[in-house]
Amino acid sequence: MSTLDESMRGEFLSLGEPQSYPPGAILIQQGDLRRDHVLLLRSTRSSLPACAKVTAILDNGVEALLGVRVSGDLVGEMAALRGVGRSATVTTCTPTLAFRISTTAFFTYLDKHPQLWSALASMIAERLEWANQRRLDFAAFDVPVRLARVLSDLASRHGFEVKDGTDLGVRLSQLELGRLIGAKEAAVGKAVRLLREAGLLLVNYRQVIIKDPERLRLFGFGS
């Protein structure tokens, strides 16, 4: 949505039917063969961005957290583009307004505004880069560094300033953070404690505030 001007934004939203969802609602289900629509996420409250998590169950039964999506993000586009079933589950983490846009209307709109095809390609490339970076982190760094890196990246994409620092902008439990960085919940708990004792984080239930973004990035990425 950030690539659209105000008039195009309104025009794009008018393509879909909005529906409100509470936290924990499944917007898209892994394995669903339907690919007749995409969803655009919006917040129901200005003070709290919409947030949804993208997960997938692996062949061994383990659930992996593939990423998070927030206000203005599109979900479900890969099934529509590839003509296959849904490869992941999208679940709301906060109250969310989702605009359901038919694939026919979606592609017709893109063809009407060809410059948006490049924007869509850039979005997909950015998500692929994010996923590849997480794989590299798994191989190269220990859990505290992996956590610092992913928190820094999330804050740079979705964070906003609050009294005590920078709110992460997404609500994730320690278990979910572990799934995002490939670590057990206990290991994530130890890493959170280390970063908190270093004065880098404030942690409440499903809320992370980065007290010193520059020091956290230095911890994760070095000079």
Side-chain angles (χ1 to χ4, degrees):
M1 288 290 286
S2 62
T3 64
L4 307 182
D5 61 33
E6 198 62 37
S7 62
M8 289 180 68
R9 207 171 289 173
E11 190 178 44
F12 190 59
L13 288 174
S14 70
L15 300 177
E17 291 293 329
Q19 183 172 344
S20 295
Y21 295 90
I26 294 177
L27 302 180
I28 291 174
Q29 181 71 59
Q30 182 181 359
D32 189 346
L33 296 179
R34 292 175 298 171
R35 47 186 183 272
D36 60 341
H37 67 279
V38 298
L39 295 171
L40 179 68
L41 307 183
R42 302 286 283 174
S43 176
T44 61
R45 291 182 287 173
S46 59
S47 60
L48 182 64
C51 174
K53 58 184 179 180
V54 183
T55 60
I57 303 295
L58 307 181
D59 291 340
N60 62 1
V62 173
E63 183 181 55
L65 178 59
L66 305 180
V68 295
R69 304 290 180 258
V70 296
S71 304
D73 278 346
L74 195 67
V75 296
E77 77 289 341
M78 292 304 292
L81 286 166
R82 297 174 60 212
V84 298
R86 306 296 188 180
S87 59
T89 296
V90 180
T91 308
T92 60
C93 301
T94 62
T96 298
L97 189 65
F99 285 76
R100 181 185 175 114
I101 302 171
S102 74
T103 52
T104 299
F106 178 61
F107 289 132
T108 299
Y109 190 79
L110 290 179
D111 288 339
K112 182 181 175 183
H113 303 279
Q115 71 272 23
L116 295 184
W117 277 109
S118 63
L120 180 63
S122 295
M123 180 195 75
I124 293 171
E126 183 179 345
R127 291 177 180 178
L128 178 60
E129 182 182 13
W130 163 273
N132 287 340
Q133 187 58 60
R134 300 287 74 78
R135 293 188 186 97
L136 293 173
D137 289 352
F138 298 161
F141 303 108
D142 60 16
V143 173
V145 173
R146 297 207 302 262
L147 181 61
R149 290 168 72 90
V150 80
L151 291 177
S152 292
D153 280 351
L154 287 171
S156 68
R157 294 164 183 260
H158 313 303
F160 55 91
E161 295 303 310
V162 293
K163 177 183 177 182
D164 295 315
T166 301
D167 189 291
L168 192 63
V170 296
R171 299 293 186 261
L172 296 171
S173 67
Q174 289 189 11
L175 177 62
E176 290 167 336
L177 284 171
R179 289 172 177 166
L180 198 57
I181 65 172
K184 299 290 187 182
E185 186 176 7
V188 174
K190 290 180 181 178
V192 166
R193 207 155 44 241
L194 185 153
L195 296 176
R196 187 174 55 204
E197 290 171 355
L200 299 177
L201 302 180
L202 285 175
V203 181
N204 299 311
Y205 176 69
R206 299 182 72 90
Q207 181 187 30
V208 176
I209 294 174
I210 300 173
K211 295 179 66 176
D212 193 328
E214 288 303 317
R215 281 182 59 213
L216 183 69
R217 178 159 286 276
L218 185 63
F219 183 95
F221 292 90
S223 57

